[in-house]
Amino acid sequence: MTARPLDTARSASAPSSALRGEPLLDVSRLTVEYVTERGAVLACNEVSFTLRRGEILGLAGESGSGKSSLITALTRLQRLPALTTGGEIRYHTRDGHLLDLVTLDERRLRPLRWTELAIVLQSAMAAFNPVMRLKAQFADVIVEHQPGITGDEVAERTGRLLRMVGIAPERAHSYPHELSGGMRQRALIALALACEPELVVMDEPTTAVDVVMQRQIMAQILRLQRRLGFAVVFVTHDLSLLMEIADRIAIMYAGRIVEIGAPQQLYTDPLHPYTRGLRDAFPPLHAPLTKLAGIPGSPPDLRDPPPGCAFHPRCAQRLPECEQVLPRLHQVLPQHGERQVACLLHDSIDPGGEAS
Amino acid sequence: MTTAAPTSDATDEPALLAAVDVSKHFTVRDQLGRKATVRAVEHASVALHRGRVVALVGESGSGKTTLARMLAQFHPVSSGEIRLAGHRAPPAGRGYFRQVQLIFQDPFSSLNTLHKVRHILGRVLRVHGHAHTRAEVEEQVLSLLNRVNLTPAEEFIDKRPREMSGGQLQRVAIARALAVRPTVLLGDEPISMLDVSIRLDVLNLLARLCDEEGLALLYITHDIASARYLCDEVQVMYAGQTVEGGPKEAVIQSPKHPYTRLLIDSSPDPDRTGRGLRDQDDAEDLGEPPNLTAPPDGCRFHPRCPFAMDDCRRAFPDRTTFADGQWAHCWLHQHGRSAELDRTTSKELP
Ligand SMILES: Nc1ncnc2c1ncn2[C@@H]1O[C@H](COP(=O)(O)OP(=O)(O)OP(=O)(O)O)[C@@H](O)[C@H]1O
Ligand SMILES: Nc1ncnc2c1ncn2[C@@H]1O[C@H](COP(=O)(O)OP(=O)(O)OP(=O)(O)O)[C@@H](O)[C@H]1O
Ligand code: SF4
Ligand SMILES: [Mg+2]
Ligand SMILES: [Mg+2]
């Protein structure tokens, strides 16, 4: 794996920008289970979607809906008792090869980590080694992917990465606990970008910081993303944040994607009743206030999900068949834009009703 | 309204609970074992009235929890006074907690998970002498469960915490606070651990308790939109100082302190028009929240404030009061520069 120096105009040069919008990841029928004494938990249930190069895909849904399970499966960072028990994750390399990340062995996976796939987790404290200075942790990642790089070059690159996220290069000498929470989180983002990955997966990277810092970090992520062209899968329960950053948003409920589409469409014209409920669960900051109702009931137990549509016990619009028939994620009529939804209220455009 | 008085509204009754010019300093030791003082809250005042909700917002570490703990008398004040119904509050104890109840952020750790709801609520009723016989306990527990919408109450009374969702648990925590029959509830981020889809239920419940039962509520949150939804009045803290307060729409729609402005401009807003996050170009570093063992002099926001002037570094500004009771501590108003706050777009803010 050849590492590319940062700030050489990779994103401006032909390959990556020419590929923008091409598929990067094709996920199909991905199923993730937790094997427990009390039975299997279906954390992701036949999840399918395509991620394009340079795209920001937001993933929203309530606690326990399977968001973290999905992205740890995507990056192959899952650990027992989580198991990917079905489906494929086809990864398109820059030079046109297709790899199935589900079956790829560790030896071939290793070089992809950091240079192709990087992850930023909610807790930077847990991601960094507490007894190593930042510079040593950056060096580990950089050297592993670019053996033979000199110490000076590593130091210089580390400084540049930190500056990129608004941290003074001298702070490379600090231990993680010597940084504030917001700085640590930004340092983690810099580390994820150290080898210029194609895909950065972020699991609630800003929930531990307050809104001012969150906005600053988000603005930084977006600037870097525009410059370097990586694709992002961004997990959060905060739909209003996704509205501002995502190219597309996928809504998860009980282990399945129930709706996916462009933010504006999803917001102004949500098709799935759960999406609508989620949208209406955020009181406005400036618009006139009205009484909001939230979504009645509570999320299902994934050990024993309701039959049919898992949302039906909480759904005000349910039809009799919702209790038995599992709605598949399907394309809807063009007047709703390029969007897929899994709900029996919405007809599928292909008569078979099966899209995948 | 005088400059030193705590915020009060149109009501003539004294506040059910008020903090008057309170400060809290903690003594800590650093890694080398040296003593240092954390100036967590400085000269803060807040007044809670019957049937009204005050939201306390501000960044992490700004002293919101510390202020609530002083109100609940979990922390003694370093200076200033806590007043209950117009008089110096009696020492912390059962009598005080009968009036003032604190609800914590995390219902999972604040409830004993081994016992059934009947026991959790029944114990509080007995301890406070509201119920004596088994039948009285049963009847009152059921009525509490109905009040917090845990229905059918006959079913929930026999559940244990681990058989309930976070939203249901938080209602049990609220029911437990209500079992005491307090006049004041202090909610320290009572919905932040809950799922988005059930937060509104809890907010609506709290609103109903204030409207229908006349509880006074302090609502601590990071989430300005939820504060706007629930409260009557907002008070903003920054680094231990209360920098602004007043009727919610005044504070949220036309903030009079640069920090409030920054906080509101930073809050996610799906209706945001104009410059969103996506087309923000290179912004300067906003700087870090201050270290409270060595806080900046004067207005603690000055190192991050685009308007900072010499006075800001020298002294904390007096309170300026505006029409409809909104107030702020900011030198801009004392230098005739109030209009700059409205003129500056969020782009020019840090
Ligand atoms: N180690 C585990 N053993 C058993 N079940 C688990 C384990 N980890 C997660 N689960 C279950 O898998 C489901 C999906 O969990 P996951 O962490 O992916 O949800 P999430 O959408 O990321 O939620 P959150 O918003 O709370 O982070 C949940 O029902 C959860 O209880
Ligand atoms: N018991 C304590 N000993 C020493 N310092 C403390 C103690 N409690 C709080 N502090 C410090 O006081 C300051 C204010 O903390 P506080 O918990 O009141 O903030 P907060 O506004 O509630 O923050 P958050 O939004 O993160 O809950 C912080 O700097 C904190 O580290
Ligand atoms: S399929 Fe039925 S139950 Fe499910 S969300 Fe749609 S309407 Fe509701
Ligand atoms: Mg998660
Ligand atoms: Mg707090």
Side-chain angles (χ1 to χ4, degrees):
Chain A
M1 199 59 34
T2 54
R4 300 158 303 270
L6 268 172
D7 284 71
T8 58
R10 184 191 102 205
S11 49
S13 72
S16 216
S17 54
L19 289 174
R20 259 199 198 206
E22 297 282 309
L24 176 66
L25 210 56
D26 274 315
V27 178
S28 79
R29 295 179 172 255
L30 187 70
T31 300
V32 177
E33 294 180 50
Y34 290 88
V35 189
T36 72
E37 283 166 17
R38 303 205 288 132
V41 177
L42 261 175
C44 296
N45 200 339
E46 307 210 336
V47 169
S48 302
F49 66 92
T50 298
L51 178 72
R52 303 178 189 119
R53 268 176 211 278
E55 179 181 34
I56 303 180
L57 176 69
L59 199 56
E62 59 201 302
S63 182
S65 59
K67 306 179 297 293
S68 299
S69 306
L70 174 59
I71 64 166
T72 44
L74 288 185
T75 43
R76 279 282 297 274
L77 284 170
Q78 69 188 176
R79 273 185 247 137
L80 283 173
L83 275 179
T84 298
T85 52
E88 291 181 333
I89 306 169
R90 285 185 300 272
Y91 181 81
H92 300 252
T93 65
R94 211 171 295 128
D95 46 15
H97 292 292
L98 259 186
L99 301 173
D100 182 2
L101 296 184
V102 172
T103 53
L104 205 63
D105 60 47
E106 190 56 36
R107 185 181 53 83
R108 295 179 59 208
L109 192 62
R110 223 180 136 75
L112 294 183
R113 292 244 161 88
W114 300 100
T115 59
E116 302 276 340
L117 311 169
I119 189 160
V120 180
L121 296 174
Q122 177 172 351
S123 162
M125 209 51 204
F128 280 119
N129 182 334
V131 298
M132 275 169 79
R133 294 178 200 275
L134 285 188
K135 59 176 186 180
Q137 309 199 40
F138 275 77
D140 275 0
V141 169
I142 296 169
V143 171
E144 163 153 11
H145 294 283
Q146 199 175 347
I149 186 172
T150 68
D152 283 352
E153 284 168 332
V154 171
E156 201 262 340
R157 167 102 72 102
T158 303
R160 210 148 14 106
L161 285 161
L162 289 175
R163 208 173 313 118
M164 208 163 67
V165 294
I167 297 176
E170 305 83 75
R171 301 307 294 262
H173 299 282
S174 309
Y175 288 99
H177 70 83
E178 293 169 341
L179 304 179
S180 72
M183 270 171 135
R184 252 188 329 255
Q185 204 61 44
R186 284 180 286 154
L188 193 61
I189 290 164
L191 184 63
L193 298 176
C195 302
E196 301 202 17
E198 285 290 326
L199 172 60
V200 182
V201 166
M202 304 196 185
D203 196 354
E204 315 220 18
T206 57
T207 40
V209 299
D210 59 71
V211 288
V212 173
M213 189 61 70
Q214 163 172 296
R215 202 162 175 81
Q216 187 183 355
I217 292 175
M218 289 316 304
Q220 230 143 18
I221 291 173
L222 292 180
R223 279 198 297 277
L224 294 169
Q225 192 268 345
R226 272 200 304 268
R227 211 165 92 208
L228 304 173
F230 50 86
V232 179
V233 179
F234 192 97
V235 172
T236 176
H237 57 265
D238 188 347
L239 191 59
S240 40
L241 176 63
L242 287 186
M243 289 297 303
E244 291 198 59
I245 62 163
D247 296 310
R248 277 190 309 156
I249 297 177
I251 307 287
M252 280 190 90
Y253 189 79
R256 292 177 187 272
I257 291 182
V258 295
E259 184 162 2
I260 182 167
Q264 271 313 319
Q265 282 172 359
L266 236 64
Y267 191 72
T268 53
D269 175 31
L271 295 181
H272 198 287
Y274 176 67
T275 312
R276 181 176 294 272
L278 205 55
R279 177 196 68 175
D280 294 340
F282 292 91
L285 200 53
H286 301 292
L289 278 174
T290 51
K291 182 159 180 187
L292 304 174
I295 304 176
S298 39
D301 176 1
L302 294 187
R303 254 182 219 97
D304 183 22
C309 170
F311 188 60
H312 85 253
R314 303 173 75 184
C315 181
Q317 288 161 272
R318 68 165 172 265
L319 311 165
E321 55 267 39
C322 298
E323 291 167 35
Q324 283 113 40
V325 183
L326 175 69
R328 299 265 174 196
L329 192 62
H330 62 258
Q331 206 73 45
V332 286
L333 296 173
Q335 75 245 32
H336 296 300
E338 194 190 316
R339 186 165 22 166
Q340 293 179 296
V341 65
C343 171
L344 300 183
L345 294 172
H346 300 282
D347 292 332
S348 150
I349 42 173
D350 70 2
E354 286 261 326
S356 88
Chain B
M1 201 162 301
T2 63
T3 49
T7 39
S8 70
D9 46 67
T11 52
D12 295 331
E13 298 175 47
L16 288 180
L17 183 65
V20 183
D21 200 30
V22 295
S23 298
K24 182 72 199 173
H25 298 166
F26 294 106
T27 304
V28 294
R29 286 183 186 278
D30 65 14
Q31 285 131 336
L32 301 173
R34 289 175 303 213
K35 272 195 182 173
T37 301
V38 179
R39 303 177 166 276
V41 173
E42 299 269 41
H43 302 290
S45 296
V46 61
L48 305 174
H49 289 269
R50 210 184 127 68
R52 295 180 59 85
V53 187
V54 175
L56 196 57
V57 301
E59 75 184 339
S60 187
S62 58
K64 304 181 295 296
T65 297
T66 305
L67 181 52
R69 287 176 166 260
M70 284 192 281
L71 284 166
Q73 298 208 58
F74 284 18
H75 285 326
V77 298
S78 302
S79 69
E81 187 175 83
I82 303 298
R83 304 186 129 245
L84 189 65
H87 304 285
R88 177 186 275 274
R94 197 168 285 169
Y96 188 74
F97 298 136
R98 190 166 296 167
Q99 303 278 308
V100 180
Q101 281 285 306
L102 185 62
I103 301 169
F104 296 95
Q105 179 171 0
D106 182 0
F108 296 92
S109 63
S110 68
L111 291 172
N112 184 332
T113 51
L114 295 176
H115 296 294
K116 292 183 176 173
V117 168
R118 182 197 311 272
H119 178 91
I120 295 172
L121 300 182
R123 207 186 86 88
V124 178
L125 289 168
R126 284 177 193 273
V127 165
H128 286 272
H130 298 316
H132 304 283
T133 67
R134 188 182 280 250
E136 279 171 4
V137 167
E138 180 90 5
E139 185 205 315
Q140 291 189 28
V141 169
L142 288 174
S143 125
L144 281 166
L145 292 174
N146 278 313
R147 270 166 78 197
V148 297
N149 291 342
L150 281 173
T151 50
E154 292 73 15
E155 195 174 298
F156 278 96
I157 194 169
D158 284 315
K159 289 201 186 219
R160 293 171 210 275
R162 66 175 146 73
E163 296 161 335
M164 283 183 273
S165 72
Q168 291 167 342
L169 274 181
Q170 193 60 291
R171 280 163 216 252
V172 174
I174 294 171
R176 189 181 55 175
L178 294 177
V180 176
R181 301 188 193 161
T183 53
V184 181
L185 269 188
L186 307 170
D188 192 357
E189 309 206 32
I191 61 163
S192 65
M193 302 279 283
L194 305 182
D195 253 327
V196 209
S197 72
I198 48 194
R199 287 181 186 176
L200 274 169
D201 256 2
V202 175
L203 286 184
N204 287 338
L205 168 65
L206 291 171
R208 206 193 71 214
L209 293 171
C210 294
D211 286 350
E212 294 175 8
E213 307 188 16
L215 273 171
L217 176 66
L218 180 74
Y219 174 62
I220 296 182
T221 183
H222 281 130
D223 176 5
I224 314 280
S226 78
R228 177 175 181 240
Y229 184 72
L230 180 63
C231 75
D232 301 295
E233 199 182 292
V234 186
Q235 200 157 313
V236 185
M237 292 191 76
Y238 181 79
Q241 298 172 328
T242 38
V243 297
E244 174 160 10
K248 65 175 170 191
E249 291 297 30
V251 173
I252 294 172
Q253 311 311 341
S254 64
K256 295 283 188 267
H257 191 281
Y259 172 68
T260 314
R261 180 69 193 271
L262 175 63
L263 186 64
I264 287 160
D265 287 347
S266 302
S267 298
D269 177 12
D271 299 316
R272 194 184 303 271
T273 51
R275 289 171 48 82
L277 261 175
R278 300 217 66 162
D279 34 46
Q280 203 158 315
D281 30 64
D282 280 17
E284 272 175 48
D285 195 354
L286 285 175
E288 296 289 327
N291 169 1
L292 295 186
T293 55
D297 287 334
C299 169
R300 290 181 178 177
F301 189 57
H302 83 250
R304 298 169 78 184
C305 183
F307 305 105
M309 45 198 135
D310 287 343
D311 270 346
C312 307
R313 295 175 196 102
R314 187 180 55 75
F316 186 65
D318 283 340
R319 176 179 288 196
T320 307
T321 304
F322 304 88
D324 66 14
Q326 185 180 5
W327 51 266
H329 289 274
C330 173
W331 280 108
L332 284 175
H333 308 299
Q334 321 243 336
H335 284 259
R337 294 174 59 189
S338 307
E340 288 177 40
L341 258 177
D342 305 323
R343 272 204 305 274
T344 320
T345 64
S346 46
K347 183 176 177 188
E348 285 146 313
L349 273 176

